Amino acid sequence: MTDASRPLLALWRHHRRHRPRVIAAVLATTANTAADVAPELLLGIAVDVVVRGADSFASTLLGIESRFGQLVAVAVLNVIVWVIESATDYLAAVLWRGLSQSVEHELRVETYANVQQLDVSWHEGSAPGRVLSVISEDVNQLERFLDVGARVILHTAWTVIFVGAVFAASSWQLMLLAFIPVPVIVWGSIRFQKVLEPRYKAVREAAGEVSATVSANLGGLATIKAFTAERREAERVRDVSEGYRQANRLAIRSSAAFVPLIRMAILAGFTSTLLLGGWFVLEGRIEIGLYTVLVFMTQRLLWPLTDLGQTLDLYQRAMASTRRISTLMNQRGEQQPGHTVLPAPVRGRIELRGVRFGYADGPDILRGLDLVVPAGETHAVVGATGAGKSSVLRLVLRFSDPREGQVLLDGTDVRDLAWESLRGAIGYVSQDVFLFHGTIRDNIAYGRPDATDAEVREAARLAEASRFVEETADGYDTVVGERGLTLSGGQRQRIALARAILRDPAVLVLDEATSAVDNETEAAIQRSLAHVTADRTALVVAHRLSTVRDADRIWVLAEGRVVESGTHDELVGAGGLYAGLWAVQTGAAALSAVD
C-alpha cells in the first residue's frame, strides 16, 4: 500500500485479487437491503386490503376479489421476501467476513515479511512493541471494520436510496420532510470525521506505546526483579496505560456526541411525516395504507443512521490503523541485496579495504581499516571495549554498510551479493544467543530444517553439546523456553555453535562466543572450535584472549584502527597493546605490581 493519505483507495488497489469477492458482497448486501425494506411495503398493502377491500391495491394488482385471498397472497409474498432476506443476509455475512479475514491474514503476513527484510540497524532503533502493535492490533482493527463497518455503511446507503424511491413515487412533499435530517447527518458525519481522525491517530500511537513498554518489561523481567524495580515498572505501565485511556476518552467523547445529534434529526423527520402524512389522509390526498408505509419508511430511513456514530467510530479507528500499517509496509531499508551469486565452492576469503564505518550520524567507529583473512584460516579480532571489534563482524555479515571502503568475500563486494549467497556461506554465533521456543532439535536444525536426526546429533557432538542434551528428560525433543532461558548460558552457546556447524558454512563468524561461560565450558567450546575450523575460514571476536591464542593471526584494534597483528607468541613478544591485555587477563600485571 503506497497511498497512506487515502487508506481505502490504497486497500482497493493493493488487494486487487479480492475485487470479485467485494463486488459479490456488495450485490448480496444490496439484495438484502431491498428485501429488508420490502416488508414495510407489504404491511401497507395489507392495511389497504383491510380498509378498502375490493378497491385495494392488491385487488387491482393481483385480480383477487376476496379480502382473505388478498391477505393470503400478501402473506405468501412476505414469506418469499423473508426467505430472500435471510438467504442474502447469510451470503453477505459470509462474503464480508471471509473478505475481512483474508485481508487481515495477508496484511499481517506482508507487513511481517517487510519488517523482516529491514536492516538490523532499523530494528535496533525501533521498539519491538510498536511493531508488534501494528502487526497485531492495527491489523485486527481493520478486520473489524471490514467485517462489520463496511457492511453497515453500504446497508445504510442502499436504505436511503430505496426508501427515497418509495417516497418520491408517493409524495414529493413528504419526501422533502423525511429527508430534511439527511443533510444534517451527512454534515455531522463529515464534521465528526475530521474531529475524530487526529484523535484516533493519537489512540493508535498510545496503544503502540503501551505495547512497547509491556514488551520491553517482559523481556527484561529478570533485571527488574534483580533491582527490585517491580513497583517502579508497574507505575511506568500505569502511566502509559493512562495515556492510552486519556486518548481514548477524548475520542469517545467526540464519537458519543454524534448519536444525540442524529436522534434529534430523526425526531424532526419522523414528526413531520407523522403530522403532514396524517393531514394528507384526512384530506383524502393519500390512502391510509400508503400513509402506514410512509410512516414506517421514515423510521426505516432514519433509525439505522443512529448506528453511524458507532460505525464512524469503527471507521476512524480502522483508517488510523491502516495508515500505520501502510507506513510500516512502505518502510524500505537502506541496504538492498545485490544479485551476484558466489561461485561454488565458496573459499571464504575475507578482506576489508580502507573501511570507514559508524552508526547513524555518530562518529566513525572504524577508521581506514584494512584486514585480510585468507581462506581456511582462523583469525581473531581483539581490543578494548569500543575498539570496533563487533563492527567488523556486522560489516562482514552486512548488517551494516561502510561509509567508505569495501568488504569483500572471495573478491566480491558483499554489497553486490544476494542475501542467500552472502549469508548462506556464513555460520554465525552471536554473543547474545537467541534460541526459539521449540525443541533442541528444532533450534540446532534452524539453518537446515531438512537435516536428518543423525546430522543434528553429529553437529551437537562436534559442538560438545550432545552430552547435556542427552541427559535432559526428552533429549533432542526437550522444549526450551522462549529465548532458551531454561538453559544455561554455556548450553545455549553450544547449541548455537551446533546450529552453525550443521549449516556447514564456508565462513564461521563468532562474536564473543565464550564470554558468558565458565572455564570448563570454554575449554569444551575451544576443543570443538579447533575441530570445526580446521578446514574453513573463521573470524572470531574475543574478549578472553585465551580463546584465540591458537589463531593463525590476531588483529588488535584500538580506536577503530589495526595497531598490531600477528600470532599470539609474536604479539606477546612485541610487548605492545596485546601483551598488556594478555598480562592483565593472566594476572601477570597484578603480580608485577605486587613485586
Side-chain angles (χ1 to χ4, degrees):
M1 295 188 296
T2 57
D3 193 349
S5 62
R6 292 179 291 178
L8 282 180
L9 181 60
L11 284 171
W12 176 254
R13 289 174 175 171
H14 185 71
H15 294 280
R16 289 184 177 89
R17 57 190 170 278
H18 293 305
R19 288 180 182 179
R21 182 182 290 185
V22 173
I23 293 171
V26 169
L27 291 175
T29 303
T30 303
N32 176 253
T33 306
D36 193 44
V37 170
E40 276 79 4
L41 290 172
L42 294 175
L43 176 62
I45 292 173
V47 171
D48 191 54
V49 168
V50 172
V51 173
R52 298 175 61 199
D55 296 328
S56 69
F57 176 78
S59 175
T60 303
L61 181 65
L62 302 175
I64 301 175
E65 295 184 2
S66 167
R67 288 190 178 186
F68 184 73
Q70 295 173 31
L71 290 176
V72 169
V74 171
V76 170
L77 287 173
N78 189 58
V79 169
I80 294 173
V81 166
W82 274 82
V83 169
I84 293 173
E85 194 275 337
S86 299
T88 53
D89 182 68
Y90 169 79
L91 182 60
V94 169
L95 289 170
W96 283 114
R97 187 154 298 174
L99 174 68
S100 65
Q101 292 292 324
S102 295
V103 170
E104 175 191 33
H105 165 72
E106 291 171 9
L107 281 181
R108 179 176 290 121
V109 172
E110 290 176 29
T111 305
Y112 173 76
N114 186 67
V115 167
Q116 197 169 235
Q117 294 299 319
L118 295 176
D119 309 337
V120 172
S121 55
W122 184 91
H123 287 278
E124 290 171 343
S126 303
R130 290 191 179 91
V131 175
L132 180 62
S133 175
V134 173
I135 294 175
S136 179
E137 296 178 21
D138 285 319
V139 172
N140 289 344
Q141 195 71 52
L142 176 60
E143 182 269 336
R144 283 191 287 271
F145 170 71
L146 292 176
D147 184 15
V148 178
R151 187 181 176 193
V152 169
I153 290 174
L154 190 61
H155 181 77
T156 302
W158 277 120
T159 298
V160 170
I161 293 171
F162 290 146
V163 172
V166 173
F167 268 94
S170 304
S171 170
W172 65 268
Q173 297 99 326
L174 288 176
M175 182 185 74
L176 289 178
L177 288 176
F179 275 77
I180 281 176
V182 174
V184 176
I185 294 170
V186 171
W187 173 85
S189 300
I190 296 172
R191 173 63 180 168
F192 274 90
Q193 179 178 342
K194 292 180 178 179
V195 171
L196 288 172
E197 182 175 355
R199 296 190 176 181
Y200 278 117
K201 180 181 179 181
V203 168
R204 297 313 312 147
E205 294 296 334
E209 186 67 25
V210 171
S211 181
T213 302
V214 172
S215 176
N217 282 13
L218 291 177
L221 199 58
T223 302
I224 292 172
K225 288 182 174 295
F227 287 88
T228 59
E230 292 93 338
R231 181 175 299 176
R232 184 166 70 250
E233 293 304 328
E235 286 299 322
R236 189 200 301 269
V237 172
R238 186 193 305 275
D239 290 342
V240 295
S241 181
E242 178 63 24
Y244 175 65
R245 184 173 72 164
Q246 291 300 331
N248 252 317
R249 182 174 294 172
L250 290 173
I252 290 170
R253 285 177 180 173
S254 297
S255 63
F258 188 63
V259 174
L261 172 66
I262 294 177
R263 287 180 180 274
M264 294 301 101
I266 290 173
L267 176 62
F270 187 78
T271 303
S272 299
T273 304
L274 186 70
L275 293 176
L276 183 62
W279 183 66
F280 279 177
V281 172
L282 295 176
E283 292 290 315
R285 298 174 60 177
I286 62 174
E287 299 297 333
I288 189 170
L290 182 59
Y291 172 62
T292 304
V293 170
L294 295 180
V295 170
F296 277 100
M297 282 290 184
T298 303
Q299 185 176 8
R300 170 66 67 183
L301 168 69
L302 299 177
W303 194 250
L305 296 179
T306 57
D307 292 333
L308 277 183
Q310 182 178 359
T311 305
L312 187 63
D313 182 88
L314 198 61
Y315 170 80
Q316 287 297 348
R317 289 177 183 265
M319 294 306 99
S321 292
T322 303
R323 290 185 180 93
R324 281 164 53 89
I325 295 168
S326 180
T327 298
L328 190 55
M329 285 184 66
N330 293 331
Q331 287 285 343
R332 293 295 179 267
E334 295 180 3
Q335 299 164 248
Q336 296 300 316
H339 302 286
T340 304
V341 176
L342 290 171
V346 178
R347 295 181 295 112
R349 174 185 169 87
I350 300 170
E351 185 175 359
L352 280 71
R353 295 179 182 170
V355 168
R356 184 169 69 87
F357 170 72
Y359 295 95
D361 297 326
D364 287 345
I365 303 298
L366 301 178
R367 301 173 176 87
L369 186 70
D370 293 305
L371 187 152
V372 178
V373 184
E377 292 190 6
T378 296
H379 283 216
V381 180
V382 303
T385 301
K389 304 185 297 296
S390 294
S391 297
V392 172
L393 301 191
R394 289 178 67 94
L395 294 173
V396 172
L397 287 158
R398 210 185 164 210
F399 290 163
S400 300
D401 285 334
R403 292 171 176 172
E404 288 182 4
Q406 288 182 297
V407 180
L408 308 172
L409 178 59
D410 283 355
T412 302
D413 194 314
V414 296
R415 286 171 290 199
D416 296 330
L417 293 174
W419 293 133
E420 294 80 5
S421 185
L422 171 62
R423 293 172 184 164
I426 298 175
Y428 177 52
V429 181
S430 66
Q431 178 180 2
D432 182 19
V433 173
F434 186 94
L435 298 183
F436 296 90
H437 180 72
T439 66
I440 291 177
R441 186 202 183 283
D442 292 339
N443 275 282
I444 294 177
Y446 187 75
R448 277 186 58 198
D450 59 343
T452 65
D453 287 342
E455 290 171 329
V456 169
R457 291 175 183 275
E458 176 62 12
R461 185 189 68 80
L462 292 174
E464 299 216 8
S466 56
R467 181 177 177 181
F468 83 80
V469 171
E470 290 165 0
E471 289 175 351
T472 60
D474 297 315
Y476 288 89
D477 292 325
T478 298
V479 176
V480 300
E482 188 173 352
R483 300 183 64 88
L485 294 179
T486 58
L487 303 176
S488 70
Q491 290 171 336
R492 292 197 299 271
Q493 287 284 5
R494 280 181 275 181
I495 288 178
L497 183 57
R499 179 164 61 192
I501 292 170
L502 181 61
R503 200 173 191 185
D504 192 24
V507 178
L508 191 60
V509 172
L510 302 119
D511 186 5
E512 302 278 13
T514 60
S515 61
V517 300
D518 54 36
N519 292 333
E520 182 180 353
T521 302
E522 179 186 340
I525 293 176
Q526 281 297 99
R527 291 192 298 270
S528 62
L529 285 177
H531 179 78
V532 300
T533 60
D535 56 352
R536 75 185 79 234
T537 305
L539 183 59
V540 182
V541 162
H543 176 70
R544 293 185 181 181
L545 302 184
S546 59
T547 63
V548 297
R549 62 182 300 170
D550 295 326
D552 295 299
R553 178 170 290 273
I554 299 171
W555 302 84
V556 185
L557 300 188
E559 297 181 352
R561 294 185 174 89
V562 175
V563 294
E564 294 179 301
S565 70
T567 66
H568 170 78
D569 292 337
E570 290 171 348
L571 293 172
V572 171
L577 177 59
Y578 182 86
L581 293 172
W582 177 256
V584 169
Q585 291 194 17
T586 58
L591 290 174
S592 176
V594 171
D595 292 341

